[in-house]
Amino acid sequence: KKADGKGDDKALEAIKDIYRRLDIGVKIYMDWISQWGHKDPSSFDKVGLAKKDPSSYQEKNNNSFRINRAYLDIRYRINDILSARMTTDVDGQVTPAGDSNAAFHIYLKYAHVEAKKDFGPVWLSATGGLLETPVVGTIDKISDYRWIGQNYIDQSKNIIGQSLDNSADLGINTSFGVKKYLTLTGSFTNGGGYKKDESNSYKAVTYMAQVNPIKDIHLLGFGRN
């Protein structure tokens, strides 16, 4: 009986150790929106135009609750150096396009293994898999604007007609840091984003330097080819 009891204790400790290494979180971006005005923004260049064309009015009761993002985030610390992360996301895209009964679709946003080691004042890390991109990921971490909308790099297509980067992509990423004051990051990814399965020969190379001289002041320099 004593031997059996010791076995149970070991099993219980093993389970507790797994829970200590496991971190599960949920993050939901949800809002309520009400819109009114013209149906087609290009149809008006004068305020009085709406009076001439009443059909261009948008109903004032056009409102809805929306879930823009819903993350289920699972992280596991394998040991002092290695860790793994898997994050799911949802969208409300309709498939097929003509279907009026839209439903939320679950897809994979992040799925990667990371190795990180501290050497006193400096640290090194390497990540492989479906990972967050350096620039968009960094801006989302240091800014609260994501609770309102996607940051200006993530929405660059609305301004210049093409996207500068995606928020996640498949590839590898390495970083070198000096405490919290300087971080140098480089990534080699597919380039098309987390929703595309690519097999082309050209890939995306991103490099970024982040200087954080004092708290809440971040200077970023980056490039992407």
Side-chain angles (χ1 to χ4, degrees):
K1 291 182 178 179
K2 289 183 179 180
D4 292 341
K6 290 180 180 179
D8 292 341
D9 290 341
K10 289 182 179 180
L12 183 59
E13 287 300 320
I15 294 173
K16 288 182 178 180
D17 184 57
I18 292 175
Y19 275 102
R20 281 192 291 266
R21 297 169 180 269
L22 187 64
D23 185 13
I24 300 176
V26 176
K27 182 183 291 184
I28 299 174
Y29 293 103
M30 181 179 178
D31 61 19
W32 177 81
I33 184 171
S34 180
Q35 302 177 86
W36 59 86
H38 292 273
K39 292 181 179 179
D40 184 4
S42 64
S43 68
F44 66 95
D45 55 2
K46 295 179 181 179
V47 176
L49 182 60
K51 296 181 180 179
K52 298 179 182 179
D53 184 13
S55 65
S56 66
Y57 277 119
Q58 183 80 0
E59 294 293 337
K60 289 189 176 182
N61 63 354
N62 180 17
N63 65 88
S64 63
F65 290 99
R66 302 183 305 178
I67 293 180
N68 296 312
R69 284 290 187 270
Y71 298 125
L72 174 60
D73 193 32
I74 303 173
R75 307 186 190 209
Y76 185 74
R77 183 173 55 85
I78 302 171
N79 52 41
D80 293 337
I81 297 177
L82 293 174
S83 62
R85 179 184 182 185
M86 186 183 75
T87 304
T88 62
D89 197 357
V90 301
D91 63 28
Q93 294 184 359
V94 182
T95 305
D99 192 350
S100 60
N101 186 22
F104 289 110
H105 296 170
I106 296 179
Y107 59 90
L108 205 57
K109 184 67 179 286
Y110 305 123
H112 59 73
V113 176
E114 179 184 26
K116 186 175 182 179
K117 178 66 175 178
D118 291 323
F119 299 94
V122 301
W123 55 269
L124 292 170
S125 72
T127 308
L130 190 56
L131 43 83
E132 65 180 13
T133 53
V135 182
V136 176
T138 299
I139 294 175
D140 282 344
K141 287 178 182 176
I142 64 179
S143 170
D144 289 334
Y145 184 74
R146 184 62 189 87
W147 292 100
I148 302 173
Q150 294 170 300
N151 66 60
Y152 48 88
I153 299 296
D154 214 359
Q155 294 195 88
S156 57
K157 187 175 182 179
N158 297 335
I159 301 174
I160 63 175
Q162 67 180 40
S163 297
L164 293 179
D165 205 353
N166 298 277
S167 58
D169 207 348
L170 190 61
I172 57 175
N173 181 88
T174 59
S175 294
F176 167 81
V178 180
K179 293 187 176 180
K180 295 183 179 180
Y181 302 115
L182 172 66
T183 304
L184 302 177
T185 303
S187 69
F188 184 75
T189 60
N190 278 341
Y194 54 94
K195 290 187 177 181
K196 291 185 178 180
D197 184 16
E198 299 183 36
S199 59
N200 50 44
S201 60
Y202 53 88
K203 299 296 176 228
V205 179
T206 305
Y207 34 91
M208 182 183 71
Q210 178 183 1
V211 180
N212 184 206
I214 60 176
K215 186 179 180 180
D216 296 331
I217 298 296
H218 300 267
L219 306 176
L220 299 178
F222 58 87
R224 184 173 184 267
N225 299 93

